[in-house]
Amino acid sequence: MTKQNVVVSDAEAEIMNMAISVAVSNSSIFTAVAEKPPVGPPGYISISRKRFLNLKNLDSINGAERINSWVDSMRASSPTHLKSSSFLKEDQSSWILQHPSALDMFEQIIDASKGKQIVMFMDYDGTLSPIVEDPDQAFMSDAMRETVKKVARCFPTAIVSGRCRDKVYKFVRLAELYYAGSHGMDIKGPAKGSKYKKGSQGVLCQPASEFLPMIDEVYKLLVEKTKSTPGAKVENNKFCLSVHFRCVDEKKWSELALQVRSVLKEYPKLRLTQGRKVLEIRPTIKWDKGKALEFLLESLGYANCTDVFPVYIGDDRTDEDAFKVSNAQPNIQKHFWFLFLFLI
C-alpha cells in the first residue's frame, strides 16, 4: 500500500481544534482546572468508571434477584443529575488529572499527528447533539453542522452511532460523510464517492442483515409490552433496538426491566447492553463500533498503516468499543487519540 503522508497545516489544526472545542462545549465536566495534567503515555484520553454488572451473566441469577441486578446496573450506568452534581464538585479535579482534556493537550496532539493522515470519527447523541428527553428531537446546531462540514473538507470523517443510519443522516444532512448506524452494523460511504479514496462509491457493510426479521418482531413485542410504563420509549434502529428510560420514574425501572426480560428470554441470539438512560438490544454477532472503525479504516486504505492518525470523539459506554481498537492495532496504537465526553 502506498503511504499517504500529509502535513497538518495551521488551518487544518485550527479546524480540528474547533471540532473538539465545539464537541466539548456540550459537556459541563470539562471546565477549567488549575492543575497540571500528569505526564503519561501519549495517545489515550479516556474515562474510568465503576465496574458495571455484566448482563451476559444474568442467566445465573433467578427471579427477583436478577431484576434487582438489572436495576442496580441501570442506576450505575445512568446516575441522576443530583449524583452528577455531587460527582462534579467532589471528584472533578482528580478525574481530570487522571484523564486530561484533549484541549489542554492539543499541541501534543498536533505534534503527534505531523506527517500522518488524520481520520475523524464521531458519535452523534451527546457529542454532536445535546442529550434530550425525546430522542427524536436530538437536533444538532447549525454551528455544529458547519464545524463538521469544515472538518470533512480536510479529513475523512465518519459519524458512528447507535441510531438508525438513515435517522442520523436526516439529523446531520452532510452527504460527504461516512455514516455507521446501528452501532456500526449499517455502514455507508458518500454516495458520490470520497475524495480521500478512489473507488469508494457506495461503501456498504451490513453484517447483521439476517437479524432484520427478528429485530422487527422484537420491536413490536417490546412496544406492546412496555406501553403500560409511562415515559418508556422503544426505538427501532434497524439492526438494533433502544429502550429509552430517561423519562421513566426510577420507581418504575424494576417494572421496565421485567418487561424487557420477559421478551428477550425468548431470543437468545440477541444481547442486552446499557448506555446512559437506555437499554440497547443487539444481535450476538461480534460487531460493534470498534469493528466499524476498523472496517472504515480498511475501506479508506489505512488498514495496518503506520502513518494514520485516527481521532474518535464519543460520550457513552458503547464508544469504548471503538477506543479499544488501539489495543488490537499495534501499528497505530501510539497515534490513536480518544476524547470521551462524560455527559448525563
Side-chain angles (χ1 to χ4, degrees):
M1 180 180 65
T2 303
K3 290 189 176 182
Q4 305 179 51
N5 287 341
V6 297
V7 176
V8 181
S9 67
D10 291 341
E12 289 174 330
E14 180 62 28
I15 288 173
M16 187 164 74
N17 189 11
M18 184 191 308
I20 295 177
S21 298
V22 175
V24 170
S25 69
N26 280 335
S27 174
S28 61
I29 193 171
F30 288 102
T31 55
V33 176
E35 294 182 80
K36 187 176 180 180
V39 178
Y44 202 101
I45 299 180
S46 185
I47 180 173
S48 65
R49 54 176 171 78
K50 295 180 181 178
R51 182 174 296 176
F52 297 111
L53 176 69
N54 183 351
L55 297 178
K56 294 180 181 179
N57 295 333
L58 285 178
D59 288 337
S60 62
I61 307 174
N62 295 317
E65 185 179 351
R66 177 186 295 191
I67 295 302
N68 289 337
S69 297
W70 276 37
V71 174
D72 288 343
S73 187
M74 289 163 71
R75 290 195 183 102
S77 63
S78 306
T80 63
H81 286 282
L82 180 60
K83 291 180 180 178
S84 299
S85 298
S86 175
F87 167 79
L88 289 174
K89 291 178 181 178
E90 297 176 6
D91 298 326
Q92 183 183 38
S93 297
S94 61
W95 187 92
I96 292 182
L97 280 176
Q98 296 179 36
H99 308 86
S101 168
L103 292 179
D104 293 338
M105 303 179 69
F106 192 74
E107 292 303 320
Q108 292 175 249
I109 295 176
I110 293 302
D111 288 342
S113 69
K114 289 180 179 178
K116 301 179 177 66
Q117 172 65 61
I118 293 173
V119 185
M120 296 293 295
F121 299 92
M122 292 172 277
D123 179 34
Y124 182 75
D125 291 277
T127 301
L128 299 181
S129 72
I131 294 294
V132 294
E133 291 188 351
D134 183 354
D136 292 333
Q137 300 299 311
F139 302 110
M140 68 190 304
S141 67
D142 291 339
M144 179 66 81
R145 182 176 293 102
E146 184 61 28
T147 297
V148 174
K149 188 173 184 178
K150 289 179 180 178
V151 169
R153 289 175 185 160
C154 298
F155 318 114
T157 301
I159 308 296
V160 186
S161 172
R163 298 275 202 136
C164 170
R165 174 173 55 81
D166 290 340
K167 185 175 292 186
V168 175
Y169 182 82
K170 289 178 181 178
F171 279 138
V172 179
R173 302 196 308 273
L174 293 175
E176 60 269 36
L177 307 185
Y178 290 82
Y179 291 87
S182 302
H183 295 289
M185 289 181 284
D186 188 9
I187 303 174
K188 189 173 182 180
K192 296 182 180 180
S194 171
K195 67 179 181 180
Y196 301 103
K197 176 66 175 178
K198 293 182 179 180
S200 63
Q201 291 91 337
V203 171
L204 187 66
C205 179
Q206 295 180 331
S209 296
E210 64 182 280
F211 289 90
L212 278 176
M214 183 183 297
I215 291 292
D216 288 338
E217 182 178 318
V218 173
Y219 170 71
K220 294 174 183 176
L221 291 172
L222 284 172
V223 169
E224 180 65 25
K225 185 70 70 171
T226 62
K227 67 181 182 180
S228 62
T229 302
K233 182 179 179 65
V234 184
E235 184 178 15
N236 190 336
N237 292 311
K238 190 171 182 177
F239 293 101
C240 60
L241 302 171
S242 298
V243 181
H244 299 275
F245 57 93
R246 180 169 296 277
C247 297
V248 176
D249 190 315
E250 190 169 342
K251 296 178 181 178
K252 293 284 187 178
W253 287 8
S254 295
E255 176 183 312
L256 182 63
L258 184 59
Q259 292 166 346
V260 174
R261 174 181 175 255
S262 68
V263 173
L264 291 187
K265 68 180 182 180
E266 304 297 332
Y267 295 89
K269 291 186 178 181
L270 298 179
R271 64 189 177 100
L272 180 70
T273 59
Q274 291 181 236
R276 289 177 291 110
K277 302 290 179 68
V278 64
L279 298 173
E280 305 278 7
I281 298 159
R282 296 188 257 172
T284 54
I285 64 171
K286 293 182 179 180
W287 196 272
D288 51 35
K289 289 185 177 182
K291 291 291 185 181
L293 193 148
E294 290 178 324
F295 174 85
L296 285 167
L297 285 175
E298 183 175 356
S299 297
L300 286 163
Y302 300 129
N304 301 315
C305 182
T306 59
D307 59 356
V308 64
F309 192 90
V311 176
Y312 191 100
I313 306 177
D315 76 308
D316 208 346
R317 292 183 65 195
T318 58
D319 295 305
E320 293 183 17
D321 293 324
F323 298 167
K324 294 173 184 175
V325 164
S326 69
N327 293 328
Q329 296 285 338
N331 290 332
I332 65 172
Q333 186 170 1
K334 293 183 180 179
H335 312 306
F336 212 118
W337 286 83
F338 311 123
L339 176 62
F340 195 104
L341 308 180
F342 192 95
L343 305 175
I344 299 301

